[in-house]
Amino acid sequence: MEEEMGETPGLGKSAAPKDFHFYHMDLYDSEDRLPIFPEENTRMGREAVQAEMTNEPRGAVKGKTQRDLEEEVDELVHLYGLEDDHELGDEFIDETMPRIEVSEYPPYMMTGIEPAKEQRDWRLSGEAAKAEDLGFGGWGSAGQCQDLREAYRYTHGRASEEYECYVIPEEEDEEEAADVFCVTCKTPIRTLEKAFDEHKEHEVMPLNKALESAKDEIHKNMFKLEKQIIEMENFASHLEEVFITVEENFGRQEKNFESHYNEILETLAQKYEEKIQALGEKKKEKLEALYGQLVTCGENLDTCKELMETIEEMCHEEKVDFIKDAVAMADRLGKFLKTKTDVEISAQPDFEDQTLDFSDVEQLMGSINTIPAPSAPVINPQSPNSATGSSVRVCWSIYSDDTVESYQLSYQPVRDSSPGRDRAEFTMTVKETYCSVTNLVPNTQYEFWVTAQNRAGLSPASECAVYMTAPSPPIIKSKEIRSCEEAALICWESGNLNPVDSYTVELTPAETPEASGVTESVVGIPTCECLVQLQPRQSYVISVRALNVGGPSARSEPVTVYTTGSYFPLNEHTCHPWLTVSEDGLTVVRSTRKAPTKELLPSDTRFSRCVAVMGNLIPVQGRHYWEVEVDECLDYTVGVAFDDVPKQEDLGANRLSWCMRHTFASARHKYEFLHNKTTPDIRITVSPRKIGILLDYENSKLSFFNVDISQHLYTFSCQLRQFVHPCFSLEKPGCLKIHNGISMPKHVTFY
């Protein structure tokens, strides 16, 4: 606002009088502002307003016509340089203000009373904006400004008694959002359309449910697309391999053809040179023979001609001369005629039939289409996790220059003796450089070797490689599982004839095994037992895998382990022969049958004198609690002992055991708390039917309780140099039932 008001005086700067002063409207009240319009002009405006209010005709104010009023107003406008204000009026409009359309001028413009500041607005439309600009929004008194504005409007025929102002609301283009989904049309609609539109008979569902259904369908399709993409990528990869293989094979064929053709051309050129040389030598030989014969024939012909001429001359001689020459000629002719003249041609002119031997060329030509037999393949070592309990994946490779049509994979089990190939072999033909061999024995080694084959023949066999199948699943000994609130001891059988490399124990919370899956794995276990750390008061599903170089076995049959209290079974290997342990391992019975009189042989593991049995408590520090259900009339002993306690002595008769003994005789109950044959003098008035036993490793204490009445009976202070085990003895026929895997009662926690 300050910028707008500060810039306004500049509009009429050139036409303002010298005594014209500007004062900011925010610094002074309306009374302090200087009057900028002469009094008579103010009075003229008031008279115009009065005429309007008295309904007198315009132009009838004190004898002045409307034309006179217009001239006076125009003169005032020109005097203060306001002719161009309508052109600059938009500069004073704040674009952030709401636009208000004014249809008529308010009554206060007729009375000169200034309205409240919040009712004023600079955004006036039409001629009203022009009239507002003429007032400069705060120059002079309120009456003077209003008089001039109204006079201007009056002269331009825009004065009115009514005033109406309204804000043009923005059009609402947004329709009501859809809230249901039409299943028939497969489009979102509004609930009203369902009731009154063409969707009335259609099936609809909530939009959120339709959205979730659409998302699920999209996810399923995405999963299918991903699966198809993987398949197509694998197929494309296979095609690429085939493409490369074909390209390499044809490249090798081209090189082979080129090599063979070059060899053939070299052979033909050599044969050509040899034949040309042979023909030249033959020609020279024949020509030389004919030439020699021709020379000899010429010489003989000359001699004959000479003799004929000599004889003719002799015929013309005298008789005496003739006779003399004839004798000499006769001798000469006799010698010449005795000389044999060869009149047969030594070299015939006919050409001999020159047979060309192209057998080697033909052999080369035939070898062009002949592929050499491949070299011996190279079988790869076994890859990790490449086997199951009944199958292995065997891979091999070939040299790049070899062309192979198929492979023959042979195998046989490895024996400790005679690992040769004279045993039964299995052979299978494959096209690829890998093969999955099935129907094998678990955790067994096999020898594999492979040969390559094409039209030229079979390659030599590769070197042997030993592959091993994965082990069989281990078998968990569910009856020997021991647990407490912090851990569990799991034992199992290997299930394999051959040794394995290691074992893996997998843990899964029993509440949600499918949702959570395997949450923890203990790996690299060398033996057939494992102590696993767990959380208290939970239940776990535990399974075991065996591992070797071929990979892991399948999971064993799972077992459920609870970490509520301490759970242990009875050790039948320590059980006296007169006792019988129940199938669940928690009840020991001594029958009423007559015991054999034969004395038992001493043993380090089995009780031979004391009719007792020990339990297998988990070797974990902390607090362990169990209960024993007894009969009031039964002679029994319960307590703990070291594993190496003498089996030929009674419990409590040495430093390796701490026990509570009960004997019943003559209707009297006797209770003893024995350690090293000593017992404190304690009398128990209420015979317990269920005895609670608390073993506290942290405080080296062993406590006994009457469970039914929550009574503490006695506590030993023990020197526990190693882990101890529960022990139970029956001196007479009867049974003891052990309750373990139970929570510790509150009255026990105080000891």
Side-chain angles (χ1 to χ4, degrees):
M1 182 66 73
E2 293 180 1
E3 292 181 0
E4 295 174 358
M5 297 305 299
E7 293 176 358
T8 305
L11 297 176
K13 184 176 180 180
S14 59
K18 295 180 180 180
D19 57 348
F20 180 82
H21 299 280
F22 168 73
Y23 295 91
H24 200 286
M25 61 180 295
D26 294 332
L27 302 179
Y28 303 95
D29 293 332
S30 58
E31 295 81 7
D32 300 330
R33 297 171 186 165
L34 295 178
I36 60 175
F37 298 104
E39 184 63 23
E40 60 177 10
N41 294 335
T42 304
R43 178 172 44 82
M44 178 194 67
R46 290 177 180 174
E47 291 176 355
V49 171
Q50 183 179 0
E52 183 70 15
M53 294 179 62
T54 55
N55 295 327
E56 294 182 1
R58 296 176 181 176
V61 182
K62 293 186 179 182
K64 292 185 179 180
T65 63
Q66 183 175 356
R67 183 176 182 83
D68 296 334
L69 291 175
E70 290 178 1
E71 291 178 355
E72 292 179 2
V73 170
D74 292 338
E75 183 178 358
L76 290 173
V77 170
H78 177 73
L79 177 64
Y80 290 98
L82 303 178
E83 300 93 334
D84 299 329
D85 281 6
H86 63 281
E87 297 177 359
L88 303 175
D90 293 339
E91 297 180 4
F92 309 114
I93 298 175
D94 187 357
E95 294 297 337
T96 61
M97 295 182 179
R99 185 171 184 85
I100 301 177
E101 299 290 343
V102 180
S103 60
E104 297 292 344
Y105 307 122
Y108 66 79
M109 289 186 178
M110 306 300 296
T111 59
I113 301 175
E114 185 177 3
K117 183 176 291 185
E118 61 269 18
Q119 292 178 347
R120 302 187 59 183
D121 181 56
W122 293 92
R123 282 184 171 268
L124 303 177
S125 62
E127 298 296 335
K130 295 181 181 180
E132 184 69 15
D133 292 338
L134 291 175
F136 287 92
W139 288 7
S141 64
Q144 291 173 341
C145 294
Q146 295 297 339
D147 290 343
L148 182 59
R149 293 192 192 103
E150 189 56 35
Y152 182 85
R153 294 167 185 155
Y154 181 83
T155 57
H156 288 77
R158 293 294 182 182
S160 174
E161 297 179 356
E162 299 179 358
Y163 172 78
E164 181 179 357
C165 177
Y166 62 92
V167 178
I168 302 176
E170 296 182 358
E171 296 183 0
E172 296 183 359
D173 296 333
E174 297 182 0
E175 298 181 356
E176 184 181 353
D179 52 1
V180 295
F181 181 79
C182 179
V183 180
T184 306
C185 299
K186 298 186 181 303
T187 181
I189 61 173
R190 295 176 295 175
T191 307
L192 294 177
E193 296 180 8
K194 164 63 179 172
F196 303 103
D197 209 345
E198 67 273 7
H199 305 282
K200 185 174 183 180
E201 302 296 331
H202 294 177
E203 179 184 358
V204 297
M205 66 171 60
L207 194 60
N208 293 336
K209 185 176 181 181
L211 180 61
E212 294 296 330
S213 177
K215 288 183 178 179
D216 293 341
E217 187 67 23
I218 290 176
H219 289 163
K220 291 179 181 178
N221 292 333
M222 289 178 63
F223 176 76
K224 293 179 180 178
L225 284 176
E226 290 177 356
K227 185 176 180 181
Q228 187 173 0
I229 288 172
I230 294 174
E231 293 177 355
M232 294 301 294
E233 287 179 348
N234 294 335
F235 179 69
S237 177
H238 181 66
L239 282 180
E240 185 177 359
E241 292 178 358
V242 173
F243 180 87
I244 295 173
T245 303
V246 170
E247 186 179 16
E248 291 178 352
N249 288 338
F250 274 94
R252 289 194 296 268
Q253 290 285 356
E254 291 175 359
K255 292 182 180 179
N256 189 25
F257 288 163
E258 183 179 358
S259 174
H260 279 78
Y261 277 119
N262 291 335
E263 186 177 357
I264 291 172
L265 292 176
E266 291 177 359
T267 303
L268 288 174
Q270 183 179 356
K271 285 186 172 295
Y272 172 78
E273 294 294 336
E274 292 176 356
K275 289 297 180 182
I276 291 298
Q277 185 178 357
L279 287 174
E281 292 177 354
K282 196 72 173 176
K283 173 184 175 183
K284 179 179 179 182
E285 180 183 356
K286 283 192 174 186
L287 290 178
E288 287 179 352
L290 290 173
Y291 180 76
Q293 193 175 10
L294 180 61
V295 170
T296 303
C297 183
E299 291 177 352
N300 292 333
L301 182 59
D302 291 342
T303 302
C304 290
K305 288 181 178 181
E306 182 184 357
L307 290 175
M308 286 294 296
E309 291 177 354
T310 303
I311 292 172
E312 288 180 356
E313 290 177 356
M314 287 176 59
C315 291
H316 294 89
E317 291 179 355
E318 294 295 330
K319 294 180 181 182
V320 175
D321 295 332
F322 177 76
I323 293 173
K324 292 179 180 180
D325 293 333
V327 173
M329 182 59 66
D331 294 338
R332 185 180 178 186
L333 285 175
K335 292 180 180 180
F336 178 77
L337 292 175
K338 288 180 180 180
T339 303
K340 187 177 180 180
T341 303
D342 188 7
V343 293
E344 293 182 0
I345 300 175
S346 60
Q348 296 296 326
D350 298 335
F351 288 101
E352 297 178 0
D353 186 10
Q354 298 292 332
T355 302
L356 299 179
D357 185 10
F358 287 103
S359 58
D360 51 352
V361 177
E362 291 176 356
Q363 184 178 358
L364 290 173
M365 292 293 292
S367 65
I368 293 178
N369 297 323
T370 302
I371 301 173
S375 304
V378 178
I379 195 164
N380 301 338
Q382 185 174 10
S383 301
N385 302 326
S386 61
T388 65
S390 60
S391 67
V392 294
R393 180 182 173 89
V394 185
C395 301
W396 58 89
S397 58
I398 60 171
Y399 293 101
S400 59
D401 293 336
D402 288 338
T403 301
V404 180
E405 295 178 358
S406 62
Y407 301 92
Q408 290 185 356
L409 178 64
S410 303
Y411 63 95
Q412 63 183 4
V414 175
R415 304 299 181 190
D416 294 336
S417 61
S418 66
R421 297 182 182 176
D422 54 345
R423 301 184 304 275
E425 300 176 0
F426 302 92
T427 303
M428 52 198 314
T429 302
V430 294
K431 296 289 186 181
E432 296 81 8
T433 57
Y434 60 88
C435 179
S436 293
V437 184
T438 57
N439 299 324
L440 303 179
V441 180
N443 201 36
T444 303
Q445 292 182 331
Y446 288 86
E447 283 181 331
F448 288 89
W449 63 95
V450 64
T451 56
Q453 187 177 10
N454 60 18
R455 288 177 293 175
L458 198 65
S459 74
S462 67
E463 295 291 333
C464 288
V466 177
Y467 280 61
M468 192 172 191
T469 53
S472 299
I475 303 172
I476 297 179
K477 301 177 182 179
S478 57
K479 294 183 179 181
E480 298 183 14
I481 294 177
R482 293 172 275 172
S483 64
C484 61
E485 293 196 348
E486 293 84 14
L489 182 62
I490 312 299
C491 302
W492 60 85
E493 295 178 355
S494 172
N496 297 274
L497 297 177
N498 300 321
V500 301
D501 295 342
S502 63
Y503 298 92
T504 298
V505 175
E506 298 178 350
L507 313 176
T508 305
E511 292 78 4
T512 56
E514 296 182 359
S516 60
V518 176
T519 58
E520 184 179 355
S521 296
V522 182
V523 300
I525 305 171
T527 60
C528 290
E529 68 176 19
C530 178
L531 184 64
V532 184
Q533 299 296 323
L534 303 174
Q535 296 296 324
R537 294 174 293 281
Q538 300 291 330
S539 58
Y540 295 86
V541 176
I542 298 180
S543 58
V544 182
R545 293 180 187 264
L547 288 88
N548 63 13
V549 67
S553 70
R555 288 192 181 98
S556 65
E557 289 294 328
V559 295
T560 303
V561 175
Y562 301 92
T563 56
T564 301
S566 297
Y567 176 84
F568 60 88
L570 296 176
N571 187 356
E572 296 184 12
H573 299 290
T574 64
C575 184
H576 191 280
W578 296 356
L579 296 179
T580 303
V581 178
S582 63
E583 185 176 355
D584 60 1
L586 298 176
T587 303
V588 56
V589 179
R590 180 174 180 176
S591 62
T592 57
R593 64 185 179 181
K594 187 176 180 180
T597 57
K598 183 178 179 181
E599 185 177 354
L600 299 176
L601 296 176
S603 173
D604 294 334
T605 58
R606 186 183 298 271
F607 287 98
S608 57
R609 177 177 177 178
C610 178
V611 185
V613 64
M614 298 182 71
N616 275 336
L617 187 64
I618 185 171
V620 174
Q621 298 284 353
R623 309 182 83 189
H624 301 275
Y625 177 80
W626 64 92
E627 297 174 354
V628 184
E629 188 175 337
V630 299
D631 190 349
E632 294 180 354
C633 301
L634 183 66
D635 291 352
Y636 59 85
T637 302
V638 294
V640 298
F642 289 114
D643 188 52
D644 57 349
V645 64
K647 304 301 189 295
Q648 298 81 27
E649 299 180 5
D650 291 334
L651 296 174
N654 47 62
R655 294 180 177 274
L656 304 180
S657 58
W658 295 262
C659 301
M660 171 184 174
R661 176 186 291 176
H662 170 259
T663 55
F664 180 74
S666 303
R668 294 183 60 182
H669 298 275
K670 181 180 179 181
Y671 293 93
E672 299 174 286
F673 295 92
L674 295 169
H675 174 62
N676 197 20
K677 297 182 180 181
T678 60
T679 178
D681 186 11
I682 295 178
R683 297 181 182 275
I684 298 176
T685 57
V686 180
S687 298
R689 298 182 60 86
K690 184 179 288 188
I691 301 173
I693 302 174
L694 173 64
L695 174 62
D696 188 351
Y697 279 105
E698 296 177 356
N699 300 309
S700 298
K701 292 183 179 181
L702 177 68
S703 302
F704 296 87
F705 302 89
N706 187 338
V707 176
D708 295 333
I709 60 176
S710 302
Q711 181 186 24
H712 173 250
L713 301 178
Y714 185 74
T715 296
F716 284 104
S717 293
C718 312
Q719 294 181 355
L720 302 176
R721 54 182 174 83
Q722 61 186 26
F723 292 106
V724 295
H725 297 283
C727 53
F728 311 89
S729 175
L730 287 171
E731 304 301 330
K732 293 181 180 180
C735 70
L736 296 175
K737 188 173 183 180
I738 296 93
H739 298 271
N740 55 24
I742 57 178
S743 299
M744 192 179 303
K746 292 183 179 180
H747 67 273
V748 174
T749 58
F750 298 107
Y751 293 91

